[in-house]
Amino acid sequence: MMNMTSRMMDTAMSMPGMDMTAMNELVEACSACEQACTLCADSMMMTDGMGKCAAMCSDTADMSNTMMRAMLRPTGYDMNSMMAMMQATMTMCNACADECMKHADMSEQCKMCADACRQCAMAAQKMMDTMKSMMPTA
Amino acid sequence: MMNMTSRMMDTAMSMPGMDMTAMNELVEACSACEQACTLCADSMMMTDGMGKCAAMCSDTADMSNTMMRAMLRPTGYDMNSMMAMMQATMTMCNACADECMKHADMSEQCKMCADACRQCAMAAQKMMDTMKSMMPTA
Amino acid sequence: MMNMTSRMMDTAMSMPGMDMTAMNELVEACSACEQACTLCADSMMMTDGMGKCAAMCSDTADMSNTMMRAMLRPTGYDMNSMMAMMQATMTMCNACADECMKHADMSEQCKMCADACRQCAMAAQKMMDTMKSMMPTA
Amino acid sequence: MMNMTSRMMDTAMSMPGMDMTAMNELVEACSACEQACTLCADSMMMTDGMGKCAAMCSDTADMSNTMMRAMLRPTGYDMNSMMAMMQATMTMCNACADECMKHADMSEQCKMCADACRQCAMAAQKMMDTMKSMMPTA
């Protein structure tokens, strides 16, 4: 599947100076994060006392999906909007990973979800670094 | 409808120090913004040369929905995450409003969408101000 | 807000034979249902033994949002797709309302959510009836 | 990524009689379909006269995401709801593929999107067959 999306992105976009590898990695990381967070939230709904974790995972699933879709709409790229979204993705993924890690030894779901969140935060950070390096210095 | 959500929020939450009025206003503004952006994007899809507007409206619809849902999950509130999401909502809504205003005289859809985006950006700003005023000074 | 969406829909669409009142009612009902389900799911995440309710509400929130957005994209209307989506919305809203009613006396959230789900199921049914009456008899 | 989701699903679920392979395939197919539809819609927004395709792809992206998330919330499985959602996914994916195939020779995006939609429709059909075979005969 990822090969298909990656090929489609290559076909769709010719964005001078944009790092297509970093973009592809962020799309993949967001997709994995949304899935892991949705599964983890579901699992936590069944576990007493895990409401905060379930709600944070639900928020992070939504944010990851929103970030992923925005990456897949190159026609609408707006630098400030992308940077603010990446910042939000990074912040939420790290907060969600911190929460999940609190009970990672009790739940395999939380451990895998925390990993996916960290990966996504790192991919967003990397993309932000790439974009900053492209921007003209004032 | 809004009365119902507002009543449900009052019933669900007892959040010491949280400004319920600002929260309700942000939920309503996000909902209106998502609807206006979705309709405007659809209209722009039919209009030659309006791809950028359609894509930006689609991104903003997703972000507004993600922001709205996060407000409706008080169990998962994390201050840094909420602030970053509000910042992203504000930035994207203002960028989308700017884009829509470029052709507001050609399209009633764009004009109404720009208004809904500005309202949403203002509601996010107001909520951020409220939250900052609650935070202990370092 | 609803007045704005309703005005935008009137401006955007001239759909011969389409019942704009039924469409507006379905958009409003979906929006209310998504909000009520999201709030109810959050509340159930905090309540021991309510995982099934939280997960069903989360599914129904997603479906209502998908239905609402499809109504707000008249450019893409495809009769069979709309009918199948309305059927799914109706089925899920009724199942979610049944689940919420099981513990409506313990939770004000569930009671309000069940009401919003029933309203949404009815709005979808009404829209389906309207569309069927427009279709040519074979 | 898929390995992770697949492992998480295996860990999370012990659903007697459920075909985990078919479930995993539907999750993957929905994810691929959402991505392909979002990219294709973006590309069509830039192409004159392709509004209907862009709007149908946007609807199908939403439906695929809703279907995927519901599969990732086993706690909330309700047989009738799942069947109705799979029917909607199948109907919309096939309608979207038909639309995209009309201009597949002009656009590589549409060709790849049509493929992803057909795959998703088939995965939904397969899952429905699996579920029907599990149900007790009346």
Side-chain angles (χ1 to χ4, degrees):
Chain A
M1 160 189 145
M2 283 310 132
N3 291 339
M4 188 254 338
T5 299
S6 167
R7 262 186 300 126
M8 280 186 80
M9 287 179 75
D10 286 344
T11 311
M13 304 173 197
S14 58
M15 312 195 75
M18 284 296 265
D19 184 333
M20 290 300 292
T21 306
M23 288 174 65
N24 268 318
E25 285 173 5
L26 183 50
V27 168
E28 282 200 45
C30 284
S31 178
C33 185
E34 182 190 7
Q35 293 184 23
C37 282
T38 306
L39 258 172
C40 186
D42 182 75
S43 184
M44 292 305 102
M45 288 174 196
M46 287 297 267
T47 314
D48 293 350
M50 286 295 165
K52 188 180 175 65
C53 187
M56 287 183 77
C57 286
S58 300
D59 287 350
T60 307
D62 288 347
M63 187 67 224
S64 298
N65 181 260
T66 291
M67 177 80 255
M68 179 189 81
R69 288 179 172 214
M71 295 302 294
L72 295 171
R73 292 189 192 110
T75 299
Y77 281 170
D78 168 77
M79 193 65 86
N80 291 332
S81 296
M82 297 308 269
M83 293 298 263
M85 233 185 304
M86 284 167 197
Q87 186 66 51
T89 300
M90 208 177 67
T91 306
M92 291 172 73
C93 283
N94 279 327
C96 191
D98 289 346
E99 179 65 29
C100 280
M101 282 311 288
K102 287 183 194 165
H103 24 83
D105 46 359
M106 293 187 332
S107 157
E108 191 64 20
Q109 304 300 316
C110 285
K111 194 168 168 303
M112 287 194 265
C113 183
D115 286 347
C117 286
R118 292 278 184 232
Q119 288 290 330
C120 192
M122 280 190 290
Q125 178 67 68
K126 195 173 162 188
M127 188 71 211
M128 288 176 81
D129 292 344
T130 303
M131 289 174 81
K132 271 176 201 157
S133 72
M134 290 163 41
M135 286 196 277
T137 47
Chain B
M1 159 190 148
M2 282 312 133
N3 292 339
M4 189 257 334
T5 299
S6 166
R7 260 185 302 127
M8 280 186 80
M9 288 179 76
D10 287 343
T11 310
M13 303 172 197
S14 58
M15 311 194 77
M18 285 295 265
D19 184 332
M20 292 300 292
T21 306
M23 289 174 65
N24 269 318
E25 284 173 4
L26 183 51
V27 168
E28 281 200 45
C30 285
S31 178
C33 185
E34 183 190 6
Q35 293 184 21
C37 282
T38 306
L39 258 173
C40 185
D42 182 77
S43 184
M44 292 306 102
M45 289 174 197
M46 289 296 268
T47 315
D48 292 352
M50 287 294 166
K52 189 181 176 62
C53 186
M56 288 182 78
C57 286
S58 300
D59 287 350
T60 307
D62 287 348
M63 187 68 224
S64 298
N65 182 260
T66 290
M67 178 79 255
M68 179 188 81
R69 288 179 172 214
M71 296 301 295
L72 295 172
R73 291 189 193 109
T75 300
Y77 282 169
D78 168 77
M79 193 65 86
N80 290 333
S81 297
M82 298 307 270
M83 292 297 264
M85 233 185 305
M86 284 167 197
Q87 187 66 51
T89 301
M90 209 177 65
T91 305
M92 292 173 72
C93 283
N94 278 328
C96 192
D98 289 346
E99 179 65 28
C100 280
M101 281 312 288
K102 288 182 193 165
H103 23 83
D105 45 359
M106 294 187 332
S107 158
E108 190 64 19
Q109 303 299 317
C110 286
K111 195 169 168 300
M112 286 194 265
C113 183
D115 287 346
C117 287
R118 291 279 183 231
Q119 289 289 330
C120 191
M122 281 188 291
Q125 178 67 68
K126 194 172 162 188
M127 188 72 211
M128 289 175 82
D129 293 343
T130 303
M131 289 174 82
K132 270 177 204 159
S133 72
M134 288 164 42
M135 285 195 276
T137 47
Chain C
M1 161 189 147
M2 283 311 132
N3 292 338
M4 188 253 342
T5 299
S6 165
R7 261 185 301 125
M8 280 185 80
M9 288 179 76
D10 287 343
T11 311
M13 304 172 196
S14 57
M15 312 194 77
M18 284 294 267
D19 184 332
M20 291 300 291
T21 307
M23 289 175 66
N24 270 318
E25 283 173 4
L26 182 51
V27 168
E28 282 200 45
C30 285
S31 178
C33 184
E34 182 190 7
Q35 293 184 21
C37 282
T38 305
L39 258 173
C40 185
D42 182 76
S43 184
M44 292 306 101
M45 289 174 197
M46 289 296 267
T47 315
D48 292 352
M50 287 294 166
K52 189 181 175 63
C53 186
M56 288 182 77
C57 286
S58 300
D59 287 349
T60 307
D62 287 347
M63 187 67 225
S64 298
N65 182 259
T66 291
M67 179 80 255
M68 179 189 81
R69 287 179 172 214
M71 294 302 294
L72 294 172
R73 292 189 192 109
T75 299
Y77 282 170
D78 168 78
M79 193 65 84
N80 290 334
S81 297
M82 298 307 270
M83 293 297 265
M85 233 185 306
M86 284 167 197
Q87 186 66 50
T89 301
M90 209 176 66
T91 305
M92 292 172 71
C93 283
N94 278 328
C96 192
D98 289 346
E99 180 64 30
C100 280
M101 282 311 288
K102 287 183 195 166
H103 23 82
D105 46 358
M106 293 186 333
S107 158
E108 190 65 20
Q109 303 300 315
C110 285
K111 195 169 167 301
M112 286 194 264
C113 183
D115 286 346
C117 286
R118 292 278 183 232
Q119 288 289 330
C120 192
M122 280 190 290
Q125 178 67 67
K126 193 172 162 188
M127 189 70 210
M128 289 176 81
D129 293 343
T130 303
M131 289 174 81
K132 270 177 202 156
S133 72
M134 288 164 43
M135 286 195 276
T137 47
Chain D
M1 159 190 148
M2 283 312 132
N3 292 337
M4 189 256 335
T5 299
S6 166
R7 261 186 302 126
M8 280 186 80
M9 286 179 74
D10 286 343
T11 311
M13 303 174 198
S14 58
M15 311 194 75
M18 284 295 265
D19 184 333
M20 291 300 293
T21 307
M23 288 174 66
N24 269 318
E25 284 173 5
L26 183 50
V27 168
E28 282 201 44
C30 284
S31 178
C33 184
E34 182 190 8
Q35 293 184 23
C37 281
T38 306
L39 258 173
C40 186
D42 182 76
S43 185
M44 292 305 101
M45 288 174 196
M46 289 298 267
T47 314
D48 293 351
M50 287 295 166
K52 188 179 175 64
C53 187
M56 287 182 78
C57 286
S58 300
D59 287 350
T60 307
D62 287 347
M63 187 67 225
S64 298
N65 181 260
T66 291
M67 177 80 255
M68 180 189 80
R69 289 180 171 212
M71 294 302 294
L72 295 171
R73 292 189 192 111
T75 300
Y77 280 169
D78 168 78
M79 194 64 86
N80 290 333
S81 296
M82 297 309 268
M83 293 297 264
M85 234 186 303
M86 284 167 198
Q87 187 66 51
T89 300
M90 208 177 65
T91 305
M92 291 173 73
C93 283
N94 278 328
C96 192
D98 289 346
E99 180 64 30
C100 280
M101 282 311 288
K102 287 183 194 166
H103 24 83
D105 46 359
M106 294 187 331
S107 157
E108 191 64 20
Q109 303 300 315
C110 286
K111 194 169 168 304
M112 287 194 265
C113 182
D115 286 347
C117 286
R118 292 279 184 232
Q119 288 290 329
C120 192
M122 280 189 291
Q125 177 68 68
K126 195 172 161 187
M127 188 72 211
M128 289 176 81
D129 293 343
T130 303
M131 289 175 83
K132 270 176 202 158
S133 71
M134 289 164 41
M135 285 195 278
T137 46

